[in-house]
Amino acid sequence: MKLLRIGPKGHEKPAILDAQGVARDLSGLVDDLAGDVLSDEGQRKLAALDLSTLPALPDDRIGPCVGHVGKFICVGLNYADHAKETGKAPPDEPILFMKATTAINGPNDDIEIPRTSQKADWEVELGVVIGKRAKYIAEAEALDHVAGYCLVNDVSERSFQSERGGQWTKGKSHDTFGPIGPWLVTRDEVADPQNLGLWLDVDGVRRQTGNTNTMIFGVAFLVSYISQFMTLEPGDIIATGTPPGVGMGIKPEPVFLREGQVITLGIDGLGSQRQTTIAAGA
C-alpha cells in the first residue's frame, strides 16, 4: 500500500492510493497515519478495504507521510563513498544523531535557508518507519518491526553542523529541513530495502546517484542496533544515510544552496519530491 496525508499544514487527512493513483480519504476510519494504524494488524485492516467506497480527495498539498512522529533518528556517514568525500573514515559503528521533529515537512513544501546560513546542503536518504515497538531486538527480527519506507531529504547546514560546536543536531534541525514522503510504502511492497536506487538534482543538475546496496550498515542491522540504545515506537523515523554527491563534497569547490533553487529527488518505488528554497521566515 501507498499511504499518504493530504491537506493544509496541521490539518492533513490520512489517505491511501488506489490502483488508479487516486488518493482515497481514510479520515472516517482512522484518525491519522500513526500509532496502531502502522502495525501489522492496522495495515491488514486497511488492505481489506474496498477503496472504491471511500471518497476521493482533491489534488491538494501532500503533507508528511507519517503523523505524530516521536523520534526522527538519523545515521551519519553510512555510505563509504560519502564518508570519503567528507574526508572522514567509514565508521566502525553507526553514527547516530537526532533531527528535531519540528523540521518535518511535506515532500513538496518550500525549504527555508536559515538566517546566517553559509553552507546549506542536500541529502537524499531512505527513511524507515517503525510500525511495532522495538527494544533490544535481534537483527533477524528487525524488519518485522518496520511499517514501511519513505523518501527523506536530510537537509543540512554544514557550518552549523561542524563549525559551531557540539553535536550535529543544530545543523540538521532548522524548520523545513526534514521533508518526508510523498508516501509511506508498506514493507510488503518493498522486496529488498538494500537494493533501491536514489537520486537528487539541484536546478536540473544531477548531484547524487546511489543505491542502498552500498550502505555500510543495512536497514535490519540499524533497527536492531538503535533498539539497543532506545525504544523505537510506532511512527519513529530512521533516516539511513546518504550516498555521495552532497554539496560539501563537490570538487574543487563545494556548492551550497541559496534562495530560489529547486531540488528534486527520488527513490525507486517510493516516489519523488520537489522543493524550492526560500528565505527563512519568523
Side-chain angles (χ1 to χ4, degrees):
M1 294 178 289
K2 292 182 175 66
L3 305 174
L4 67 164
R5 299 166 73 246
I6 291 182
K9 287 187 179 183
H11 301 281
E12 295 93 345
K13 290 183 177 182
I16 183 171
L17 286 189
D18 67 16
Q20 288 72 45
V22 176
R24 298 287 181 167
D25 188 355
L26 293 173
S27 62
L29 303 170
V30 299
D31 290 335
D32 207 345
L33 299 181
D36 291 342
V37 176
L38 302 175
S39 69
D40 288 351
E41 178 59 26
Q43 291 189 35
R44 279 192 289 270
K45 291 178 180 178
L46 295 181
L49 294 172
D50 179 356
L51 301 188
S52 66
T53 66
L54 300 178
L57 286 170
D59 186 14
D60 200 354
R61 170 187 175 267
I62 299 176
C65 60
V66 184
H68 308 290
V69 176
K71 293 189 287 296
F72 198 163
I73 306 158
C74 300
V75 182
L77 305 179
N78 196 28
Y79 290 72
D81 37 11
H82 170 57
K84 182 178 179 181
E85 73 176 349
T86 66
K88 297 180 174 64
D92 295 324
E93 291 193 44
I95 296 171
L96 303 182
F97 61 92
M98 308 296 282
K99 198 174 184 83
T101 55
T102 49
I104 292 173
N105 213 24
N108 303 315
D109 292 343
D110 293 337
I111 289 175
E112 292 185 352
I113 303 297
R115 298 174 185 176
T116 75
S117 172
Q118 300 175 21
K119 299 178 180 180
D121 207 345
W122 55 83
E123 294 189 15
V124 59
E125 305 200 8
L126 172 66
V128 179
V129 180
I130 299 299
K132 182 171 69 172
R133 185 178 184 271
K135 182 177 183 178
Y136 292 122
I137 59 169
E139 185 175 352
E141 304 168 355
L143 295 187
D144 295 337
H145 294 258
V146 172
Y149 304 92
C150 65
L151 172 60
V152 175
N153 188 355
D154 176 21
V155 187
S156 310
E157 212 299 336
R158 303 300 187 188
S159 60
F160 296 177
Q161 177 183 350
S162 301
E163 301 167 19
R164 298 288 297 273
Q167 300 176 349
W168 291 2
T169 301
K170 68 179 71 174
K172 299 285 189 170
S173 293
H174 185 80
D175 294 351
T176 75
F177 269 24
I180 61 171
W183 315 311
L184 165 58
V185 180
T186 53
R187 75 171 188 270
D188 59 298
E189 291 199 2
V190 180
D192 183 3
Q194 300 308 148
N195 189 27
L196 299 173
L198 309 86
W199 60 272
L200 182 145
D201 295 350
V202 179
D203 289 339
V205 177
R206 181 60 46 94
R207 293 300 190 185
Q208 289 187 275
T209 303
N211 192 290
T212 57
N213 62 20
T214 63
M215 282 183 182
I216 299 170
F217 307 106
V219 170
F221 180 87
L222 289 172
V223 173
S224 172
Y225 180 87
I226 295 169
S227 80
Q228 313 304 309
F229 300 96
M230 66 191 81
T231 300
L232 295 170
E233 299 284 0
D236 287 349
I237 298 172
I238 303 169
T240 56
T242 197
V246 298
M248 69 180 295
I250 294 174
K251 302 293 189 294
E253 293 292 332
V255 175
F256 296 112
L257 294 168
R258 60 186 186 277
E259 296 169 25
Q261 294 190 285
V262 174
I263 308 166
T264 51
L265 58 150
I267 298 180
D268 293 346
L270 303 186
S272 61
Q273 301 181 354
R274 184 183 189 279
Q275 298 119 19
T276 300
T277 55
I278 62 171

